[in-house]
Amino acid sequence: MIRRLRSILSRPVSDASPAPARDALPRPEFATYVIGDLHGRADLLERALDRIDEHVGRTGARNPQVVFVGNYIDHGPDSAATLTRVWELSKELPKNVTCLMGNHERMLLDFLSDPKTRGPRWLRSGARPTLDSFGLHTSQLEPGCAPELFRQEALALRSHMSPALLDWLDNLPLSWNSGNLWVVHAAADPQHAMQDQSPRVLLWGHPEFDTRPRSDGTWIVHGHTSAEAPVSTEGRICVDCGAWETGLLCTAAMLPDGRYEFLYA
């Protein structure tokens, strides 16, 4: 998978100048592919990687960057496989693949740290398919069940996840940027510089994100809020198409000259 991406990494790369502070178009330094929320759809992930390969071949992109917006787990059927796949990609191509943390990864980590308190919320948010995908039995788990059951489930889940995977998960970045393009999971506060955003806003959203345009020329690509089709408006691009239930995974393919398009898997 992503064969072409691997093959072009050894090609010479020309120097790239930073994008202007203000621009009507998103201009990353290199071709950038932002993949929307996967939510346990390992099958769609493989198709998305094929679409990226095809686009790289068609455009002759150099040093392409692949960025995942987070939410690799929950809801869909193959959370364990999806999480393992993106982890392996980030290890194999660390200079070209970036995996951001999503709010569902945050909920998993919080559950492991405090299962009695955090377990019910994660369960209501689609955790059961994730636990099942790791080979655990969840038939007794309900939001109001005995706290001890959540503690036992957390211990079992930790035993099914390697320490290296958990360490990687715990250290996932909350944002990525190139040129005037930033990628986050959920949103950004339009009144604060991107370097000054709070983790909670980046992971969970902000009430003014969709209604108040930024004034610094920054373009933000994000997931978290699903729609029937990708949304692009006033410097914001959302690539979450609810892949786990719609079967539609969107990738925003963005070139340094400002052109961008959506690839579907």
mmCIF file of all heavy atoms in Angstrom, residues 87-111:
data_model
loop_
_atom_site.group_PDB
_atom_site.id
_atom_site.type_symbol
_atom_site.label_atom_id
_atom_site.label_comp_id
_atom_site.label_asym_id
_atom_site.label_seq_id
_atom_site.Cartn_x
_atom_site.Cartn_y
_atom_site.Cartn_z
ATOM 1 N N TRP A 87 -0.678 3.270 13.031
ATOM 2 C CA TRP A 87 0.543 3.252 13.846
ATOM 3 C C TRP A 87 1.714 2.740 13.020
ATOM 4 O O TRP A 87 2.803 3.344 13.019
ATOM 5 C CB TRP A 87 0.300 2.373 15.070
ATOM 6 C CG TRP A 87 1.486 2.167 15.972
ATOM 7 C CD1 TRP A 87 2.416 3.096 16.330
ATOM 8 C CD2 TRP A 87 1.843 0.943 16.637
ATOM 9 N NE1 TRP A 87 3.343 2.536 17.191
ATOM 10 C CE2 TRP A 87 3.012 1.218 17.394
ATOM 11 C CE3 TRP A 87 1.295 -0.330 16.689
ATOM 12 C CZ2 TRP A 87 3.630 0.247 18.169
ATOM 13 C CZ3 TRP A 87 1.909 -1.293 17.471
ATOM 14 C CH2 TRP A 87 3.066 -1.001 18.202
ATOM 15 N N GLU A 88 1.525 1.651 12.295
ATOM 16 C CA GLU A 88 2.590 1.101 11.468
ATOM 17 C C GLU A 88 3.011 2.071 10.364
ATOM 18 O O GLU A 88 4.202 2.214 10.067
ATOM 19 C CB GLU A 88 2.136 -0.223 10.865
ATOM 20 C CG GLU A 88 1.998 -1.347 11.898
ATOM 21 C CD GLU A 88 1.382 -2.597 11.319
ATOM 22 O OE1 GLU A 88 0.792 -2.502 10.214
ATOM 23 O OE2 GLU A 88 1.483 -3.657 11.972
ATOM 24 N N LEU A 89 2.053 2.734 9.750
ATOM 25 C CA LEU A 89 2.382 3.711 8.712
ATOM 26 C C LEU A 89 3.227 4.840 9.278
ATOM 27 O O LEU A 89 4.196 5.286 8.645
ATOM 28 C CB LEU A 89 1.099 4.283 8.103
ATOM 29 C CG LEU A 89 0.316 3.374 7.161
ATOM 30 C CD1 LEU A 89 -1.045 3.986 6.855
ATOM 31 C CD2 LEU A 89 1.097 3.127 5.875
ATOM 32 N N SER A 90 2.883 5.322 10.472
ATOM 33 C CA SER A 90 3.641 6.423 11.064
ATOM 34 C C SER A 90 5.055 5.988 11.438
ATOM 35 O O SER A 90 5.985 6.796 11.416
ATOM 36 C CB SER A 90 2.907 6.965 12.295
ATOM 37 O OG SER A 90 2.930 6.030 13.360
ATOM 38 N N LYS A 91 5.227 4.711 11.785
ATOM 39 C CA LYS A 91 6.569 4.202 12.097
ATOM 40 C C LYS A 91 7.384 3.994 10.822
ATOM 41 O O LYS A 91 8.588 4.249 10.792
ATOM 42 C CB LYS A 91 6.468 2.879 12.862
ATOM 43 C CG LYS A 91 5.955 2.988 14.278
ATOM 44 C CD LYS A 91 6.151 1.692 15.051
ATOM 45 C CE LYS A 91 5.409 0.533 14.404
ATOM 46 N NZ LYS A 91 5.601 -0.737 15.159
ATOM 47 N N GLU A 92 6.726 3.520 9.771
ATOM 48 C CA GLU A 92 7.427 3.229 8.525
ATOM 49 C C GLU A 92 7.841 4.498 7.786
ATOM 50 O O GLU A 92 8.925 4.552 7.192
ATOM 51 C CB GLU A 92 6.514 2.390 7.625
ATOM 52 C CG GLU A 92 7.165 1.948 6.334
ATOM 53 C CD GLU A 92 6.235 1.096 5.491
ATOM 54 O OE1 GLU A 92 5.130 0.776 5.973
ATOM 55 O OE2 GLU A 92 6.612 0.763 4.359
ATOM 56 N N LEU A 93 6.991 5.525 7.836
ATOM 57 C CA LEU A 93 7.256 6.770 7.115
ATOM 58 C C LEU A 93 7.110 7.961 8.055
ATOM 59 O O LEU A 93 6.225 8.807 7.892
ATOM 60 C CB LEU A 93 6.284 6.913 5.932
ATOM 61 C CG LEU A 93 6.346 5.821 4.867
ATOM 62 C CD1 LEU A 93 5.146 5.897 3.942
ATOM 63 C CD2 LEU A 93 7.654 5.932 4.072
ATOM 64 N N PRO A 94 7.964 8.074 9.068
ATOM 65 C CA PRO A 94 7.773 9.105 10.097
ATOM 66 C C PRO A 94 7.875 10.531 9.584
ATOM 67 O O PRO A 94 7.331 11.443 10.213
ATOM 68 C CB PRO A 94 8.882 8.790 11.109
ATOM 69 C CG PRO A 94 9.928 8.071 10.316
ATOM 70 C CD PRO A 94 9.170 7.262 9.313
ATOM 71 N N LYS A 95 8.576 10.754 8.472
ATOM 72 C CA LYS A 95 8.712 12.110 7.941
ATOM 73 C C LYS A 95 7.574 12.474 6.998
ATOM 74 O O LYS A 95 7.497 13.623 6.551
ATOM 75 C CB LYS A 95 10.058 12.260 7.230
ATOM 76 C CG LYS A 95 11.258 12.146 8.159
ATOM 77 C CD LYS A 95 12.556 12.375 7.405
ATOM 78 C CE LYS A 95 13.750 12.288 8.346
ATOM 79 N NZ LYS A 95 15.041 12.515 7.624
ATOM 80 N N ASN A 96 6.731 11.517 6.676
ATOM 81 C CA ASN A 96 5.681 11.774 5.695
ATOM 82 C C ASN A 96 4.276 11.414 6.163
ATOM 83 O O ASN A 96 3.307 11.712 5.476
ATOM 84 C CB ASN A 96 5.977 11.024 4.391
ATOM 85 C CG ASN A 96 7.229 11.521 3.715
ATOM 86 O OD1 ASN A 96 8.331 11.138 4.083
ATOM 87 N ND2 ASN A 96 7.072 12.409 2.744
ATOM 88 N N VAL A 97 4.159 10.754 7.299
ATOM 89 C CA VAL A 97 2.845 10.374 7.819
ATOM 90 C C VAL A 97 2.712 10.914 9.238
ATOM 91 O O VAL A 97 3.559 10.641 10.100
ATOM 92 C CB VAL A 97 2.654 8.848 7.816
ATOM 93 C CG1 VAL A 97 1.334 8.479 8.510
ATOM 94 C CG2 VAL A 97 2.679 8.306 6.395
ATOM 95 N N THR A 98 1.659 11.678 9.472
ATOM 96 C CA THR A 98 1.373 12.236 10.791
ATOM 97 C C THR A 98 -0.018 11.792 11.225
ATOM 98 O O THR A 98 -0.982 11.932 10.478
ATOM 99 C CB THR A 98 1.426 13.772 10.767
ATOM 100 O OG1 THR A 98 2.727 14.201 10.370
ATOM 101 C CG2 THR A 98 1.108 14.345 12.147
ATOM 102 N N CYS A 99 -0.108 11.264 12.426
ATOM 103 C CA CYS A 99 -1.389 10.847 12.993
ATOM 104 C C CYS A 99 -1.718 11.770 14.162
ATOM 105 O O CYS A 99 -0.971 11.827 15.137
ATOM 106 C CB CYS A 99 -1.312 9.399 13.490
ATOM 107 S SG CYS A 99 -0.916 8.194 12.210
ATOM 108 N N LEU A 100 -2.818 12.497 14.058
ATOM 109 C CA LEU A 100 -3.254 13.356 15.141
ATOM 110 C C LEU A 100 -4.117 12.569 16.127
ATOM 111 O O LEU A 100 -4.672 11.525 15.794
ATOM 112 C CB LEU A 100 -4.055 14.541 14.601
ATOM 113 C CG LEU A 100 -3.348 15.469 13.619
ATOM 114 C CD1 LEU A 100 -4.271 16.646 13.275
ATOM 115 C CD2 LEU A 100 -2.024 15.980 14.166
ATOM 116 N N MET A 101 -4.236 13.087 17.318
ATOM 117 C CA MET A 101 -5.139 12.497 18.295
ATOM 118 C C MET A 101 -6.546 13.035 18.065
ATOM 119 O O MET A 101 -6.736 14.227 17.815
ATOM 120 C CB MET A 101 -4.692 12.813 19.717
ATOM 121 C CG MET A 101 -5.589 12.189 20.783
ATOM 122 S SD MET A 101 -5.103 12.583 22.483
ATOM 123 C CE MET A 101 -3.573 11.645 22.618
ATOM 124 N N GLY A 102 -7.533 12.146 18.159
ATOM 125 C CA GLY A 102 -8.922 12.554 18.112
ATOM 126 C C GLY A 102 -9.550 12.439 19.489
ATOM 127 O O GLY A 102 -8.959 11.874 20.421
ATOM 128 N N ASN A 103 -10.753 12.940 19.632
ATOM 129 C CA ASN A 103 -11.399 12.866 20.944
ATOM 130 C C ASN A 103 -11.709 11.428 21.357
ATOM 131 O O ASN A 103 -11.747 11.121 22.554
ATOM 132 C CB ASN A 103 -12.669 13.715 20.959
ATOM 133 C CG ASN A 103 -13.747 13.213 20.027
ATOM 134 O OD1 ASN A 103 -13.506 13.012 18.832
ATOM 135 N ND2 ASN A 103 -14.949 13.009 20.540
ATOM 136 N N HIS A 104 -11.860 10.517 20.395
ATOM 137 C CA HIS A 104 -12.119 9.122 20.766
ATOM 138 C C HIS A 104 -10.856 8.434 21.283
ATOM 139 O O HIS A 104 -10.939 7.586 22.175
ATOM 140 C CB HIS A 104 -12.726 8.364 19.584
ATOM 141 C CG HIS A 104 -14.163 8.704 19.380
ATOM 142 N ND1 HIS A 104 -15.201 7.896 19.793
ATOM 143 C CD2 HIS A 104 -14.755 9.797 18.827
ATOM 144 C CE1 HIS A 104 -16.360 8.456 19.502
ATOM 145 N NE2 HIS A 104 -16.115 9.616 18.905
ATOM 146 N N GLU A 105 -9.698 8.785 20.754
ATOM 147 C CA GLU A 105 -8.453 8.272 21.329
ATOM 148 C C GLU A 105 -8.261 8.822 22.744
ATOM 149 O O GLU A 105 -7.813 8.115 23.648
ATOM 150 C CB GLU A 105 -7.252 8.639 20.453
ATOM 151 C CG GLU A 105 -7.145 7.844 19.175
ATOM 152 C CD GLU A 105 -8.154 8.267 18.123
ATOM 153 O OE1 GLU A 105 -8.198 9.476 17.795
ATOM 154 O OE2 GLU A 105 -8.919 7.400 17.642
ATOM 155 N N ARG A 106 -8.620 10.092 22.924
ATOM 156 C CA ARG A 106 -8.530 10.684 24.256
ATOM 157 C C ARG A 106 -9.441 9.953 25.241
ATOM 158 O O ARG A 106 -9.068 9.712 26.400
ATOM 159 C CB ARG A 106 -8.918 12.159 24.181
ATOM 160 C CG ARG A 106 -8.789 12.950 25.471
ATOM 161 C CD ARG A 106 -7.353 13.158 25.866
ATOM 162 N NE ARG A 106 -6.879 12.167 26.831
ATOM 163 C CZ ARG A 106 -5.598 11.946 27.096
ATOM 164 N NH1 ARG A 106 -4.650 12.641 26.485
ATOM 165 N NH2 ARG A 106 -5.243 11.032 27.972
ATOM 166 N N MET A 107 -10.649 9.587 24.801
ATOM 167 C CA MET A 107 -11.565 8.870 25.686
ATOM 168 C C MET A 107 -11.031 7.496 26.048
ATOM 169 O O MET A 107 -11.189 7.034 27.183
ATOM 170 C CB MET A 107 -12.942 8.760 25.032
ATOM 171 C CG MET A 107 -13.747 10.049 25.085
ATOM 172 S SD MET A 107 -15.488 9.844 24.605
ATOM 173 C CE MET A 107 -15.308 9.727 22.830
ATOM 174 N N LEU A 108 -10.399 6.814 25.099
ATOM 175 C CA LEU A 108 -9.809 5.507 25.405
ATOM 176 C C LEU A 108 -8.727 5.655 26.467
ATOM 177 O O LEU A 108 -8.684 4.886 27.439
ATOM 178 C CB LEU A 108 -9.230 4.885 24.137
ATOM 179 C CG LEU A 108 -8.612 3.491 24.254
ATOM 180 C CD1 LEU A 108 -8.673 2.769 22.913
ATOM 181 C CD2 LEU A 108 -7.147 3.537 24.712
ATOM 182 N N LEU A 109 -7.844 6.635 26.300
ATOM 183 C CA LEU A 109 -6.767 6.835 27.268
ATOM 184 C C LEU A 109 -7.321 7.223 28.638
ATOM 185 O O LEU A 109 -6.823 6.763 29.674
ATOM 186 C CB LEU A 109 -5.809 7.913 26.757
ATOM 187 C CG LEU A 109 -4.987 7.525 25.528
ATOM 188 C CD1 LEU A 109 -4.296 8.755 24.939
ATOM 189 C CD2 LEU A 109 -3.963 6.452 25.858
ATOM 190 N N ASP A 110 -8.345 8.064 28.644
ATOM 191 C CA ASP A 110 -8.964 8.448 29.915
ATOM 192 C C ASP A 110 -9.609 7.234 30.587
ATOM 193 O O ASP A 110 -9.577 7.104 31.822
ATOM 194 C CB ASP A 110 -10.013 9.535 29.683
ATOM 195 C CG ASP A 110 -9.395 10.877 29.290
ATOM 196 O OD1 ASP A 110 -8.178 11.052 29.505
ATOM 197 O OD2 ASP A 110 -10.129 11.736 28.772
ATOM 198 N N PHE A 111 -10.204 6.370 29.792
ATOM 199 C CA PHE A 111 -10.813 5.153 30.327
ATOM 200 C C PHE A 111 -9.764 4.274 31.002
ATOM 201 O O PHE A 111 -9.989 3.742 32.093
ATOM 202 C CB PHE A 111 -11.500 4.392 29.194
ATOM 203 C CG PHE A 111 -11.909 2.995 29.542
ATOM 204 C CD1 PHE A 111 -12.937 2.749 30.435
ATOM 205 C CD2 PHE A 111 -11.268 1.909 28.958
ATOM 206 C CE1 PHE A 111 -13.315 1.452 30.771
ATOM 207 C CE2 PHE A 111 -11.639 0.609 29.275
ATOM 208 C CZ PHE A 111 -12.676 0.378 30.178
#
